[in-house]
Amino acid sequence: MTKIRLTEADRFERRHNGSREVRTQKMLTKIGVDSVDELIDQTIPAAIRLKQPLQLPAAQTEHGFLKSFKSIADKNQVFRSMIGLGYHDTITPGVIQRNILENPGWYTAYTPYQAEIAQGRLEALINFQTMVTDLTGMELANASLLDEGTAAAEAMSMLFATRKGKKKKAAFKFFVDQHTLPQTQSILNTRATPIGIELVTGDVAEFDATDESFFGILLQYPNSEGDILGYPAVAEKAKANDINVAVAVDLLAMALLTPPGEWGADVVVGTTQRFGVPLGFGGPHAAFFATKEAYKRQIPGRIIGVSQDRDGNKAYRMALQTREQHIKRERATSNICTAQVLLAVIAGMYGVYHGPEGIKTIATNVHGHTQLIAKGVEAFGFKQLNGAYFDTIKIEATAAQIATVRTLAEKAGINFRYAENFIGIAVNQTTALEDVQDILTIFAEAAQADVKSFDLTAAADQLEISWADQFKRSSEYMTHPVFHAYRSEHELLRYMKRLENKDISLAHSMISLGSCTMKLNATAEMIPITWPSLASIHPFAPANQTEGYFEIFRNLEGWLNEITGFAGTSLQPNSGAQGEFAGLMVIKAYHEDRGDHHRNICIIPTSAHGTNPASAALAGMKIVLVKCDDAGNIDVADLREKAEANKENLSALMVTYPSTHGVYEESIIEICNIIHENGGQVYMDGANMNAQVGLTSPANIGADVCHLNLHKTFAIPHGGGGPGIGPICVAEQLVPFLPGSPLTDLAGGEKAITAISSAPWGSAGVLAISYAYIAMMGSEGLTNATKLAILNANYIQSRLKDHFPVLYVGANGRNAHELILDCRQFKTIGIEVEDIAKRLIDYGFHAPTVSFPVAGTLMIEPTESESLEELDRFCDAMVAIRQEVKEIEDGKAEAENNVLKNAPHTQALVLNDNWEMPYSREKAGYPLPYLKEAKIWPSVRRIDNAFGDRNLMCSCIPVSEYAEAEA
Ligand SMILES: *Cc1c(COP(=O)(O)O)cnc(C)c1O
């Protein structure tokens, strides 16, 4: 008899971590060590190693996880959401859900820095920008911000930074309409104070535009209580007095209402959530920022623009990148890096699929159903308090009436908004006549009236737009052919597939972007995010309906505390950069609480990521830079000198660990001690946590707070540039200050700072991904992942170091989880690092990180998920490219006309009858044998960035120009 031993057949770690034992042995031999542990001992300084392993729950299998997680998610109750306040249920078209939201070809892509293999998502984003520009009536829009509240804050900051003339000296007040969304007001408050803006909240009807101390004003249209007020007149008065106008709008309402662009607004912001993006208990959703051309150099975030490739063909790329934080650093007025690209793609496709007539129909239905509810409740004796409204009404009610309605509504599975003396009802795309009937039944019962006394069918036949002509939209929108060509599902399916096929994602090959940690985004991690029990929950739903979410938060916060060694976690920040800002504001609150209001100096090494100085600037801190030595390490003597010189006012140090140079600095403990001795707190940028988990921790190295990029280390896909989540984890003394929310007491510490993000738990809807990752990997799996990430990076080092100089290494010649290859020496023969990046496309690879943290270099981060075969394929490509460089060095290839300068090669170029290059077609298109198995052709040749910036065009080319081109 053979004895049976029961084991877990589908252990997840085997699927996530790329290398298996035999292969690991080969890699160790190449590196020149006997074991992985020996390599780790040579890499991470002993002084900072964890003394004991992580204590996380036992690893679950994929199947086991999905089963147990379902039972947690099912503790949430899915009600019909009529709370409004900036979040509305919506219908994600199935074809978009399956082929974009659930499709790794879309969700695993990176921010489109390599535009030649990103034309698909760039086109999708330009559709988004065009839709937003048209609906708001503005000239220009970016390709997403994090949420409506932060978008409003960006508008305020931009208007502040661009004050002119007299205003520049004397105007520091920003007026906010009192009926702006409460979460937006809280964020404005967080962002205004540190940079010296005085926020004034009040009734817009009483705003005194002649007061010269105001530079700007924010209006909410329609406002948080549903009213459409006389804002055009307010805007006119403000503009006449040199006060700039920002308006937060409901984008769906813009299909029917005169958009602010037509009454003089300078900036229009809002969210595109209700354009097909699930509620997800608050996010992720794409916010937008639309403005005038005049502000094009000050717009926060990424803008997609039209340019041309080397053959003069139309090509898209990110425009005006000198605006961004990585260039502006401490002079930046925005720190946005990761945005909400995947969600913007979805919202844009929703616009493409429905077109202007469809969007208008949806908006009209929403308004019609709202009117029916308003008329019905009035028939039962309630007073409806709005004048003109779009989708939201408030109904006057006593406390007793509110209690009755609430009981009945909750029994019927409906959530309204319950204010002190009114009930708010917000209608959405999912609302049907049956829902209206259910709502009327509730109000009839509460009023002890007969529901039949109101003839719903008759009323439905007599609906018309109820607001003044002044507010009726007459202008056209979404006239471009792209919003008219894809009405059938087949057409849209094929359009989306065509776009997808233009881009390189993790579904094709490894994307070794240093600092970005493009690891596996496992399918089992992604499955839960579209479960209605997670996706269909309003962020302000009553707490007793969201116990599943609270259990997820509790567990995940606990695990992140364990992993970082800290005492508390806030899940609110929705990107790494937001985490930085949140962490610095928490440090600031801590100092202020101790009476140290003057502590405002932030020390940052010159090697820091651009978001670090930008976040410090947003937090109102004064930045003092410290140098790095020749080996790439922080110059400890310089740091000590600066810390001591600023002893009285030192607030914080921001430090990335392991450093952005890919090395575990030996002196980190000393560095943290110096800061503490001089009264400062240590902020650790956690982008490189993939080199720490299970082996060391932020608390262990002496930090006080860190952010984690869940979209790097913890398996949330990059989505082509978002979503991300950037929770902060903090030491005991900082826990009381973790950010809160104006809509719940359950988020944040006892002395919580005001909101960082619109939703109390940020992008809660995708936390399931990181939760799944940790639950399925367990302590051992996570620790092995870190070890293998380091193994893979050092294997690449061992294969490439004879071909390219490796810029920085640790004391024993090892790298952390990433390494930098120096390409500056090729400049003498005219080869730039960009040429190598573009040539990699011909080999089927997305380039590593180009020119960060050192110009002229490539930073490679393979992650633990890549197998030896894939690492070798990448190294073979790099070695082959080095040979191609050598041919130029040796004079065997022309200096100007060669495979590198002409890269990437399109299919159209290689198949052209007039092939005129001084090398073969095969060398151009199939330089290595593996490419014959699977080849990705770029859809355009090298793109001219400068041309696009000179001729800025950020929407789909208008129809009129199409017609001209045809003629
Ligand atoms: C990615 C990154 C950030 C910014 O994170 P986002 O999520 O993009 O805002 C900050 N610092 C470093 C070192 C990074 O790599």
Side-chain angles (χ1 to χ4, degrees):
M1 273 205 303
T2 318
K3 213 167 153 17
I4 290 179
R5 273 188 57 212
L6 294 174
T7 55
E8 287 167 344
D10 69 339
R11 198 158 54 86
F12 175 71
E13 186 199 329
R14 290 195 310 147
R15 308 294 184 193
H16 178 86
N17 288 335
S19 8
R20 275 158 290 157
E21 274 151 36
V22 250
R23 294 172 173 81
T24 303
Q25 202 45 57
K26 274 195 202 161
M27 296 164 78
L28 293 170
T29 309
K30 178 81 187 163
I31 295 170
V33 286
D34 289 333
S35 67
V36 175
D37 286 332
E38 185 188 340
L39 172 67
I40 300 300
D41 289 342
Q42 291 181 4
T43 307
I44 308 182
I48 60 158
R49 290 286 295 275
L50 289 182
K51 301 289 172 291
Q52 55 164 343
L54 293 176
Q55 308 285 317
L56 296 166
Q60 289 180 283
T61 63
E62 296 186 32
H63 180 72
F65 165 75
L66 286 171
K67 215 165 79 177
S68 71
F69 195 64
K70 186 91 178 41
S71 69
I72 297 178
D74 284 344
K75 293 178 189 170
N76 293 329
Q77 297 173 50
V78 182
F79 274 37
R80 282 173 276 181
S81 281
M82 314 203 78
I83 299 169
L85 288 174
Y87 301 90
H88 305 270
D89 205 359
T90 176
I91 299 169
T92 315
V95 62
I96 296 177
Q97 175 173 329
R98 175 145 301 176
N99 296 287
I100 292 183
L101 181 56
E102 298 174 341
N103 177 355
W106 282 97
Y107 66 65
T108 68
Y110 185 66
T111 306
Y113 275 106
Q114 298 298 330
E116 292 82 0
I117 38 92
Q119 291 295 301
R121 54 194 189 277
L122 285 164
E123 178 166 332
L125 291 173
I126 211 150
N127 292 346
F128 172 87
Q129 289 180 177
T130 308
M131 176 177 86
V132 168
T133 306
D134 284 6
L135 283 169
T136 56
M138 301 301 285
E139 292 169 352
L140 200 64
N142 72 5
S144 89
L145 289 176
L146 296 167
D147 55 33
E148 177 166 336
T150 56
E154 297 285 358
M156 172 180 74
S157 304
M158 188 186 85
L159 295 179
F160 186 59
T162 53
R163 288 165 304 157
K164 289 197 190 73
K166 262 205 325 226
K167 290 279 176 192
K168 196 165 185 81
K169 288 193 207 83
F172 50 88
K173 286 189 194 156
F174 189 71
F175 186 88
V176 182
D177 178 12
Q178 61 190 358
H179 293 308
T180 300
L181 295 172
Q183 63 271 26
T184 298
Q185 293 191 41
S186 183
I187 293 171
L188 288 173
N189 185 30
T190 313
R191 295 276 295 265
T193 323
I195 54 174
I197 297 173
E198 187 186 326
L199 212 57
V200 180
T201 309
D203 183 349
V204 65
E206 283 155 29
F207 173 59
D208 176 12
T210 61
D211 182 340
E212 302 213 329
S213 58
F214 283 96
F215 68 89
I217 178 169
L218 176 73
L219 308 167
Q220 182 101 40
Y221 174 64
N223 74 17
S224 64
E225 300 193 344
D227 291 311
I228 298 166
L229 299 178
Y231 290 154
V234 178
E236 196 180 337
K237 225 168 52 183
K239 295 298 295 177
N241 289 284
D242 235 358
I243 294 170
N244 288 326
V245 179
V247 188
V249 301
D250 180 321
L251 199 62
L252 187 62
M254 294 304 105
L256 302 178
L257 289 171
T258 317
E262 291 174 22
W263 38 269
D266 296 279
V267 189
V268 182
V269 298
T271 174
T272 56
Q273 180 268 316
R274 69 190 311 177
F275 281 52
V277 182
L279 291 165
F281 202 40
H285 313 129
F288 61 85
F289 187 104
T291 185
K292 296 176 173 169
E293 280 265 349
Y295 292 104
K296 68 184 180 193
R297 296 198 184 278
Q298 280 81 33
I299 302 180
R302 267 111 196 202
I303 313 169
I304 311 308
V306 184
S307 187
Q308 59 182 28
D309 76 356
R310 199 166 286 176
D311 290 338
N313 294 315
K314 184 176 81 174
Y316 305 109
R317 91 284 176 245
M318 296 198 287
L320 300 172
Q321 288 189 33
T322 48
R323 294 167 299 110
E324 294 192 21
Q325 35 69 26
H326 60 261
I327 305 287
K328 285 199 173 167
R329 301 182 75 91
E330 58 270 23
R331 290 178 300 108
T333 49
S334 166
N335 65 347
I336 183 143
C337 182
T338 287
Q340 301 281 20
V341 167
L342 189 70
L343 303 314
V345 167
I346 292 172
M349 279 310 167
Y350 180 94
V352 166
Y353 200 31
H354 288 294
E357 338 77 68
I359 298 291
K360 191 168 178 180
T361 305
I362 294 165
T364 308
N365 278 343
V366 162
H367 180 59
H369 287 131
T370 315
Q371 274 195 29
L372 290 175
I373 297 169
K375 289 182 176 154
V377 298
E378 281 185 335
F380 307 139
F382 283 95
K383 190 162 171 219
Q384 186 270 115
L385 299 168
N386 305 74
Y389 57 82
F390 166 61
D391 70 341
T392 301
I393 49 172
K394 47 182 178 171
I395 297 158
E396 190 175 58
T398 63
Q401 283 172 319
I402 291 175
T404 311
V405 167
R406 182 168 188 157
T407 307
L408 292 169
E410 289 183 356
K411 220 158 68 193
I414 300 177
N415 285 326
F416 299 131
R417 174 183 175 202
Y418 303 104
E420 211 175 312
N421 48 12
F422 70 87
I423 298 167
I425 302 183
V427 171
N428 62 62
Q429 190 193 359
T430 70
T431 311
L433 267 187
E434 300 88 83
D435 302 298
V436 173
Q437 185 68 59
D438 291 350
I439 292 162
L440 294 184
T441 306
I442 291 164
F443 279 87
E445 196 171 335
Q448 298 183 327
D450 180 3
V451 69
K452 295 208 191 74
S453 67
F454 177 71
D455 187 343
L456 184 58
T457 323
D461 282 342
Q462 292 161 13
L463 292 170
E464 48 188 49
I465 298 259
S466 55
W467 50 75
D469 284 348
Q470 177 195 14
F471 295 114
K472 283 183 191 156
R473 180 164 192 154
S474 56
S475 55
E476 284 191 294
Y477 47 87
M478 296 161 74
T479 51
H480 187 271
V482 76
F483 299 110
H484 298 264
Y486 307 108
R487 284 297 172 277
S488 77
E489 181 165 332
H490 253 154
E491 286 297 337
L492 185 76
L493 174 68
R494 290 169 190 160
Y495 176 56
M496 295 189 303
K497 186 56 79 178
R498 279 202 301 280
L499 295 188
E500 181 194 340
N501 286 346
K502 293 181 180 194
D503 294 7
I504 289 189
S505 72
L506 285 177
H508 300 99
S509 52
M510 78 186 248
I511 300 182
S512 60
L513 285 160
S515 218
C516 305
T517 316
M518 302 288 287
K519 62 171 64 181
L520 172 76
N521 315 118
T523 312
E525 293 157 2
M526 295 299 292
I527 284 173
I529 66 164
T530 42
W531 290 345
S533 53
L534 295 177
S536 302
I537 309 283
H538 191 285
F540 309 137
N544 64 359
Q545 294 170 19
T546 58
E547 279 167 14
Y549 262 117
F550 292 135
E551 188 169 334
I552 293 169
F553 300 157
R554 260 195 320 275
N555 289 340
L556 185 58
E557 286 172 10
W559 299 344
L560 297 180
N561 290 343
E562 169 68 15
I563 288 167
T564 56
F566 283 135
T569 291
S570 166
L571 298 168
Q572 193 178 110
N574 40 18
S575 75
Q578 290 294 77
E580 292 169 19
F581 176 67
L584 293 175
M585 292 303 286
V586 162
I587 290 176
K588 196 180 171 90
Y590 162 80
H591 286 312
E592 286 174 2
D593 190 59
R594 292 158 49 100
D596 286 347
H597 293 261
H598 50 279
R599 291 197 173 272
N600 72 337
I601 302 275
C602 187
I603 299 182
I604 302 178
T606 49
S607 59
H609 192 268
T611 52
N612 289 192
S615 299
L618 260 53
M621 293 183 176
K622 239 184 84 199
I623 292 143
V624 173
L625 293 174
V626 297
K627 292 184 284 207
C628 290
D629 64 20
D630 291 341
N633 296 315
I634 292 178
D635 181 334
V636 179
D638 189 38
L639 176 94
R640 186 185 297 279
E641 200 184 304
K642 288 184 169 145
E644 285 172 0
N646 291 291
K647 191 179 173 67
E648 294 307 314
N649 296 318
L650 185 60
S651 178
L653 163 76
M654 292 187 91
V655 61
T656 307
Y657 202 77
S659 74
T660 54
H661 291 155
V663 176
Y664 297 88
E665 273 161 287
E666 302 268 346
S667 48
I668 188 68
I669 293 182
E670 188 188 352
I671 288 171
C672 294
N673 283 340
I674 294 171
I675 296 302
H676 288 141
E677 282 157 15
N678 290 288
Q681 295 277 294
V682 176
Y683 183 96
M684 195 203 84
D685 178 328
N688 289 343
M689 263 314 274
N690 215 41
Q692 289 197 33
V693 179
L695 299 178
T696 180
S697 76
N700 217 40
I701 64 164
D704 301 286
V705 44
C706 73
H707 77 256
L708 301 173
N709 302 67
L710 297 191
H711 47 299
K712 295 178 179 171
T713 315
F714 295 93
I716 293 179
H718 286 255
I725 303 186
I728 52 170
C729 308
V730 300
E732 200 78 55
Q733 75 275 15
L734 299 177
V735 174
F737 307 100
L738 288 175
S741 160
L743 287 133
T744 171
D745 296 334
L746 298 172
E750 286 153 41
K751 302 176 182 175
I753 59 166
T754 46
I756 294 292
S757 306
S758 288
W761 291 277
S763 295
V766 293
L767 281 174
I769 302 166
S770 297
Y771 188 105
Y773 173 66
I774 298 172
M776 296 193 296
M777 290 289 274
S779 303
E780 204 188 323
L782 289 175
T783 309
N784 285 340
T786 311
K787 291 179 180 175
L788 292 178
I790 295 168
L791 174 73
N792 284 354
N794 281 283
Y795 176 73
I796 291 183
Q797 191 216 90
S798 70
R799 276 215 54 194
L800 295 183
K801 68 179 176 204
D802 294 338
H803 305 276
F804 298 85
V806 176
L807 202 48
Y808 301 114
V809 290
N812 297 310
R814 304 298 179 201
N815 289 110
H817 65 311
E818 58 192 8
L819 68 151
I820 299 174
L821 299 185
D822 200 343
C823 301
R824 290 172 294 192
Q825 66 281 13
F826 307 135
K827 278 177 187 287
T828 53
I829 53 156
I831 293 299
E832 301 290 332
V833 66
E834 191 181 36
D835 299 319
I836 297 175
K838 299 306 177 193
R839 181 61 176 154
L840 269 169
I841 296 174
D842 288 333
Y843 284 86
F845 287 102
H846 189 293
T849 298
V850 178
S851 290
F852 172 78
V854 181
T857 65
L858 293 174
M859 180 155 65
I860 303 170
E861 179 183 1
T863 85
E864 70 279 10
S865 303
E866 299 304 339
S867 64
L868 175 59
E869 289 76 5
E870 185 68 358
L871 299 176
D872 274 337
R873 217 164 60 81
F874 174 76
C875 291
D876 291 346
M878 288 298 291
V879 171
I881 291 174
R882 181 65 187 89
Q883 281 310 309
E884 293 168 354
V885 174
K886 189 155 188 309
E887 286 166 16
I888 305 167
E889 287 170 338
D890 295 349
K892 290 186 189 132
E894 290 179 26
E896 293 297 322
N897 190 1
N898 56 57
V899 278
L900 284 126
K901 283 290 172 202
N902 293 331
H905 296 81
T906 58
Q907 202 166 27
L909 176 69
V910 173
L911 293 181
N912 194 306
D913 283 345
N914 305 313
W915 176 256
E916 287 170 345
M917 305 300 180
Y919 46 86
S920 74
R921 291 176 151 133
E922 182 161 23
K923 182 163 180 165
Y926 292 103
L928 283 177
Y930 70 77
L931 291 158
K932 298 203 170 130
E933 289 281 327
K935 169 78 187 172
I936 308 147
W937 291 101
S939 56
V940 293
R941 292 189 64 198
R942 187 91 61 102
I943 296 172
D944 187 341
N945 285 315
F947 176 87
D949 281 354
R950 278 196 310 274
N951 307 284
L952 191 67
M953 167 98 73
C954 298
S955 13
C956 309
I957 295 174
V959 184
S960 54
E961 290 183 28
Y962 257 70
E964 276 166 34
E966 303 250 311

